[in-house]
Amino acid sequence: MAKGVYPYFREITSKQGTEVDMGGHKVLMFGSNAYTGLTGDQRIIDKAKEALDKYGSGCAGSRFLNGTLDIHVQLEKEIAEFIHKEDCLCFSTGFSVNQGVLAMVVGKGDYIICDDRDHASIVDGRRLSFARQLHYKHNDMEDLERVIQNLPEEGIKLIVVDGVFSMEGDLAKLPEIVEIKHKYPNVAIMVDEAHGIGVFGDHGRGVCDHFGITDEVDLIMGTFSKSLASIGGFIASDKDTINFLRHTCRTYIFSASNTPAATAAAMEALHIILKEPERIEKLWSVTRYALKRFREEGFEIGDTESPIIPLYVHDIEKTFLVTALAFEAGVFINPVIPPACAPQDTLVRFALMATHSEEQVERGVQILKKIFKEQHII
């Protein structure tokens, strides 16, 4: 703050889109998780308005008691069908899914095994569990197997992993994790698809679908706040597991249910994704262009395989400075510093939407190239 490079809580005064009004001027938005670019879609806005008119602004209670609407149940059915699981439970936020589910599905005598770059919601969820907590080096399958093979046969061993890692943009090695699952007794898998839904797989069904291993994954979590242009989250699994969570998961039972408008918005976004696969094709077209241009200009972008492109800075102060200079020049990006990464791996996160044009990406690349060169980063 004292140096004038504080990058947080900046106010947007327009709809989310590829360009937004912020701080008195327009900036290119490369800091959003709206991969499908649907947050300003009029069809979604209209459905949200219809829900407001029919159901009012809120439910005034939890799903467990007075807060279940027919559209909550309908959305759960449609998400379960979309993900190819038997049943689904929808929560008010994605964070509360991981926080609540992990606290309930394993307990004393069980084990939670996490990638050491898993999202904070997974970290907080495992802390609430009575299971023993273990972790393995990021995407290191030898280390994961080392952890599991030293555990006793009895007790559930739940591997919990991000499908797409939200800061670095790389994918979990899910086929290898499934192989490990079959080598040892009582191993189960939970995948966080927050950044995979609407991006990977058939019609955006996620990374599990992309790898063809949906049936091998016991629990699939996702959010509505990214590709589905709303707010909330879900857990999908077999009917018995979902029924158990419906009656035991504290972040579900003791939270007010999602608003009618948010529920209707997420459902309409899902319908659009299913009807318009070309939207995801456009996302991947602009992603491939951006990856190519950043590599050509000498940026270090790591192992990303997604519309999340990390631009490594390797210096905390410069990471804040680059973010501020980019904003002044008309580009919004997100700084990533500890604890979201190791101190030596700081970066700025450049994220794409299906609605970005190659011309917008090129403008972003040129602005960032100038800043990175002036700061002697590239």
PDB file of all heavy atoms in Angstrom, residues 127-142:
ATOM      1  N   ARG A 127      -8.513 -30.129   7.148  1.00  0.00           N
ATOM      2  CA  ARG A 127      -8.214 -29.755   8.532  1.00  0.00           C
ATOM      3  C   ARG A 127      -9.397 -30.034   9.452  1.00  0.00           C
ATOM      4  O   ARG A 127      -9.225 -30.245  10.653  1.00  0.00           O
ATOM      5  CB  ARG A 127      -7.838 -28.271   8.606  1.00  0.00           C
ATOM      6  CG  ARG A 127      -6.443 -27.955   8.073  1.00  0.00           C
ATOM      7  CD  ARG A 127      -6.221 -26.459   7.997  1.00  0.00           C
ATOM      8  NE  ARG A 127      -4.868 -26.120   7.576  1.00  0.00           N
ATOM      9  CZ  ARG A 127      -4.482 -24.912   7.184  1.00  0.00           C
ATOM     10  NH1 ARG A 127      -5.374 -23.920   7.154  1.00  0.00           N
ATOM     11  NH2 ARG A 127      -3.235 -24.687   6.817  1.00  0.00           N
ATOM     12  N   LEU A 128     -10.605 -30.011   8.899  1.00  0.00           N
ATOM     13  CA  LEU A 128     -11.805 -30.258   9.690  1.00  0.00           C
ATOM     14  C   LEU A 128     -12.098 -31.745   9.862  1.00  0.00           C
ATOM     15  O   LEU A 128     -12.962 -32.126  10.649  1.00  0.00           O
ATOM     16  CB  LEU A 128     -13.017 -29.579   9.037  1.00  0.00           C
ATOM     17  CG  LEU A 128     -13.027 -28.049   9.067  1.00  0.00           C
ATOM     18  CD1 LEU A 128     -14.172 -27.518   8.224  1.00  0.00           C
ATOM     19  CD2 LEU A 128     -13.125 -27.540  10.503  1.00  0.00           C
ATOM     20  N   SER A 129     -11.403 -32.573   9.104  1.00  0.00           N
ATOM     21  CA  SER A 129     -11.632 -34.011   9.187  1.00  0.00           C
ATOM     22  C   SER A 129     -10.816 -34.632  10.315  1.00  0.00           C
ATOM     23  O   SER A 129      -9.735 -34.149  10.662  1.00  0.00           O
ATOM     24  CB  SER A 129     -11.250 -34.665   7.862  1.00  0.00           C
ATOM     25  OG  SER A 129     -11.277 -36.069   7.969  1.00  0.00           O
ATOM     26  N   PHE A 130     -11.340 -35.745  10.850  1.00  0.00           N
ATOM     27  CA  PHE A 130     -10.588 -36.490  11.858  1.00  0.00           C
ATOM     28  C   PHE A 130      -9.643 -37.513  11.225  1.00  0.00           C
ATOM     29  O   PHE A 130      -8.944 -38.233  11.925  1.00  0.00           O
ATOM     30  CB  PHE A 130     -11.554 -37.192  12.820  1.00  0.00           C
ATOM     31  CG  PHE A 130     -12.278 -36.245  13.732  1.00  0.00           C
ATOM     32  CD1 PHE A 130     -13.626 -35.988  13.556  1.00  0.00           C
ATOM     33  CD2 PHE A 130     -11.606 -35.599  14.767  1.00  0.00           C
ATOM     34  CE1 PHE A 130     -14.301 -35.105  14.393  1.00  0.00           C
ATOM     35  CE2 PHE A 130     -12.268 -34.718  15.607  1.00  0.00           C
ATOM     36  CZ  PHE A 130     -13.619 -34.472  15.422  1.00  0.00           C
ATOM     37  N   ALA A 131      -9.638 -37.559   9.896  1.00  0.00           N
ATOM     38  CA  ALA A 131      -8.714 -38.457   9.206  1.00  0.00           C
ATOM     39  C   ALA A 131      -7.286 -37.919   9.310  1.00  0.00           C
ATOM     40  O   ALA A 131      -7.067 -36.714   9.480  1.00  0.00           O
ATOM     41  CB  ALA A 131      -9.105 -38.593   7.741  1.00  0.00           C
ATOM     42  N   ARG A 132      -6.324 -38.813   9.186  1.00  0.00           N
ATOM     43  CA  ARG A 132      -4.920 -38.395   9.169  1.00  0.00           C
ATOM     44  C   ARG A 132      -4.630 -37.714   7.832  1.00  0.00           C
ATOM     45  O   ARG A 132      -5.051 -38.177   6.772  1.00  0.00           O
ATOM     46  CB  ARG A 132      -4.021 -39.617   9.337  1.00  0.00           C
ATOM     47  CG  ARG A 132      -2.536 -39.264   9.406  1.00  0.00           C
ATOM     48  CD  ARG A 132      -1.693 -40.508   9.583  1.00  0.00           C
ATOM     49  NE  ARG A 132      -0.279 -40.204   9.422  1.00  0.00           N
ATOM     50  CZ  ARG A 132       0.667 -41.132   9.287  1.00  0.00           C
ATOM     51  NH1 ARG A 132       0.344 -42.423   9.314  1.00  0.00           N
ATOM     52  NH2 ARG A 132       1.932 -40.791   9.134  1.00  0.00           N
ATOM     53  N   GLN A 133      -3.912 -36.599   7.899  1.00  0.00           N
ATOM     54  CA  GLN A 133      -3.671 -35.787   6.707  1.00  0.00           C
ATOM     55  C   GLN A 133      -2.254 -35.995   6.176  1.00  0.00           C
ATOM     56  O   GLN A 133      -1.273 -35.832   6.904  1.00  0.00           O
ATOM     57  CB  GLN A 133      -3.900 -34.314   7.039  1.00  0.00           C
ATOM     58  CG  GLN A 133      -5.311 -34.026   7.517  1.00  0.00           C
ATOM     59  CD  GLN A 133      -5.474 -32.631   8.082  1.00  0.00           C
ATOM     60  OE1 GLN A 133      -4.800 -31.705   7.635  1.00  0.00           O
ATOM     61  NE2 GLN A 133      -6.353 -32.478   9.051  1.00  0.00           N
ATOM     62  N   LEU A 134      -2.174 -36.319   4.892  1.00  0.00           N
ATOM     63  CA  LEU A 134      -0.899 -36.556   4.230  1.00  0.00           C
ATOM     64  C   LEU A 134      -0.896 -35.802   2.910  1.00  0.00           C
ATOM     65  O   LEU A 134      -1.947 -35.419   2.383  1.00  0.00           O
ATOM     66  CB  LEU A 134      -0.700 -38.059   3.972  1.00  0.00           C
ATOM     67  CG  LEU A 134      -0.767 -38.973   5.212  1.00  0.00           C
ATOM     68  CD1 LEU A 134      -0.944 -40.418   4.793  1.00  0.00           C
ATOM     69  CD2 LEU A 134       0.485 -38.806   6.056  1.00  0.00           C
ATOM     70  N   HIS A 135       0.294 -35.584   2.376  1.00  0.00           N
ATOM     71  CA  HIS A 135       0.357 -34.936   1.059  1.00  0.00           C
ATOM     72  C   HIS A 135       1.551 -35.474   0.284  1.00  0.00           C
ATOM     73  O   HIS A 135       2.466 -36.091   0.834  1.00  0.00           O
ATOM     74  CB  HIS A 135       0.433 -33.415   1.187  1.00  0.00           C
ATOM     75  CG  HIS A 135       1.669 -32.911   1.856  1.00  0.00           C
ATOM     76  ND1 HIS A 135       2.820 -32.610   1.162  1.00  0.00           N
ATOM     77  CD2 HIS A 135       1.950 -32.661   3.156  1.00  0.00           C
ATOM     78  CE1 HIS A 135       3.752 -32.190   2.012  1.00  0.00           C
ATOM     79  NE2 HIS A 135       3.243 -32.219   3.228  1.00  0.00           N
ATOM     80  N   TYR A 136       1.502 -35.224  -1.021  1.00  0.00           N
ATOM     81  CA  TYR A 136       2.606 -35.642  -1.894  1.00  0.00           C
ATOM     82  C   TYR A 136       3.052 -34.467  -2.760  1.00  0.00           C
ATOM     83  O   TYR A 136       2.309 -33.493  -2.935  1.00  0.00           O
ATOM     84  CB  TYR A 136       2.193 -36.834  -2.768  1.00  0.00           C
ATOM     85  CG  TYR A 136       1.023 -36.579  -3.697  1.00  0.00           C
ATOM     86  CD1 TYR A 136       1.219 -36.199  -5.019  1.00  0.00           C
ATOM     87  CD2 TYR A 136      -0.295 -36.738  -3.251  1.00  0.00           C
ATOM     88  CE1 TYR A 136       0.152 -35.979  -5.870  1.00  0.00           C
ATOM     89  CE2 TYR A 136      -1.366 -36.517  -4.091  1.00  0.00           C
ATOM     90  CZ  TYR A 136      -1.141 -36.138  -5.405  1.00  0.00           C
ATOM     91  OH  TYR A 136      -2.211 -35.907  -6.246  1.00  0.00           O
ATOM     92  N   LYS A 137       4.274 -34.552  -3.271  1.00  0.00           N
ATOM     93  CA  LYS A 137       4.817 -33.484  -4.098  1.00  0.00           C
ATOM     94  C   LYS A 137       3.965 -33.312  -5.360  1.00  0.00           C
ATOM     95  O   LYS A 137       3.452 -34.280  -5.915  1.00  0.00           O
ATOM     96  CB  LYS A 137       6.264 -33.791  -4.488  1.00  0.00           C
ATOM     97  CG  LYS A 137       7.218 -33.865  -3.298  1.00  0.00           C
ATOM     98  CD  LYS A 137       8.590 -34.332  -3.751  1.00  0.00           C
ATOM     99  CE  LYS A 137       9.518 -34.546  -2.546  1.00  0.00           C
ATOM    100  NZ  LYS A 137      10.821 -35.136  -2.972  1.00  0.00           N
ATOM    101  N   HIS A 138       3.869 -32.076  -5.794  1.00  0.00           N
ATOM    102  CA  HIS A 138       2.969 -31.733  -6.890  1.00  0.00           C
ATOM    103  C   HIS A 138       3.165 -32.632  -8.108  1.00  0.00           C
ATOM    104  O   HIS A 138       4.250 -32.693  -8.692  1.00  0.00           O
ATOM    105  CB  HIS A 138       3.175 -30.271  -7.289  1.00  0.00           C
ATOM    106  CG  HIS A 138       2.348 -29.856  -8.463  1.00  0.00           C
ATOM    107  ND1 HIS A 138       0.976 -29.970  -8.485  1.00  0.00           N
ATOM    108  CD2 HIS A 138       2.698 -29.349  -9.678  1.00  0.00           C
ATOM    109  CE1 HIS A 138       0.525 -29.535  -9.638  1.00  0.00           C
ATOM    110  NE2 HIS A 138       1.542 -29.159 -10.382  1.00  0.00           N
ATOM    111  N   ASN A 139       2.084 -33.325  -8.476  1.00  0.00           N
ATOM    112  CA  ASN A 139       2.030 -34.184  -9.663  1.00  0.00           C
ATOM    113  C   ASN A 139       3.140 -35.235  -9.701  1.00  0.00           C
ATOM    114  O   ASN A 139       3.509 -35.720 -10.775  1.00  0.00           O
ATOM    115  CB  ASN A 139       2.066 -33.349 -10.940  1.00  0.00           C
ATOM    116  CG  ASN A 139       0.665 -33.134 -11.513  1.00  0.00           C
ATOM    117  OD1 ASN A 139      -0.290 -33.808 -11.126  1.00  0.00           O
ATOM    118  ND2 ASN A 139       0.545 -32.206 -12.438  1.00  0.00           N
ATOM    119  N   ASP A 140       3.671 -35.576  -8.546  1.00  0.00           N
ATOM    120  CA  ASP A 140       4.747 -36.570  -8.460  1.00  0.00           C
ATOM    121  C   ASP A 140       4.118 -37.918  -8.084  1.00  0.00           C
ATOM    122  O   ASP A 140       3.818 -38.184  -6.918  1.00  0.00           O
ATOM    123  CB  ASP A 140       5.770 -36.137  -7.408  1.00  0.00           C
ATOM    124  CG  ASP A 140       7.005 -37.022  -7.371  1.00  0.00           C
ATOM    125  OD1 ASP A 140       6.880 -38.223  -7.704  1.00  0.00           O
ATOM    126  OD2 ASP A 140       8.085 -36.528  -6.987  1.00  0.00           O
ATOM    127  N   MET A 141       3.920 -38.755  -9.082  1.00  0.00           N
ATOM    128  CA  MET A 141       3.223 -40.023  -8.858  1.00  0.00           C
ATOM    129  C   MET A 141       4.064 -41.003  -8.049  1.00  0.00           C
ATOM    130  O   MET A 141       3.523 -41.839  -7.312  1.00  0.00           O
ATOM    131  CB  MET A 141       2.827 -40.642 -10.195  1.00  0.00           C
ATOM    132  CG  MET A 141       1.815 -39.812 -10.976  1.00  0.00           C
ATOM    133  SD  MET A 141       0.216 -39.572 -10.119  1.00  0.00           S
ATOM    134  CE  MET A 141       0.417 -37.935  -9.389  1.00  0.00           C
ATOM    135  N   GLU A 142       5.359 -40.924  -8.168  1.00  0.00           N
ATOM    136  CA  GLU A 142       6.211 -41.782  -7.337  1.00  0.00           C
ATOM    137  C   GLU A 142       6.055 -41.424  -5.865  1.00  0.00           C
ATOM    138  O   GLU A 142       6.001 -42.306  -4.997  1.00  0.00           O
ATOM    139  CB  GLU A 142       7.675 -41.655  -7.767  1.00  0.00           C
ATOM    140  CG  GLU A 142       7.992 -42.313  -9.089  1.00  0.00           C
ATOM    141  CD  GLU A 142       9.480 -42.270  -9.401  1.00  0.00           C
ATOM    142  OE1 GLU A 142      10.266 -41.846  -8.521  1.00  0.00           O
ATOM    143  OE2 GLU A 142       9.850 -42.641 -10.525  1.00  0.00           O
TER     144      GLU A 142
END
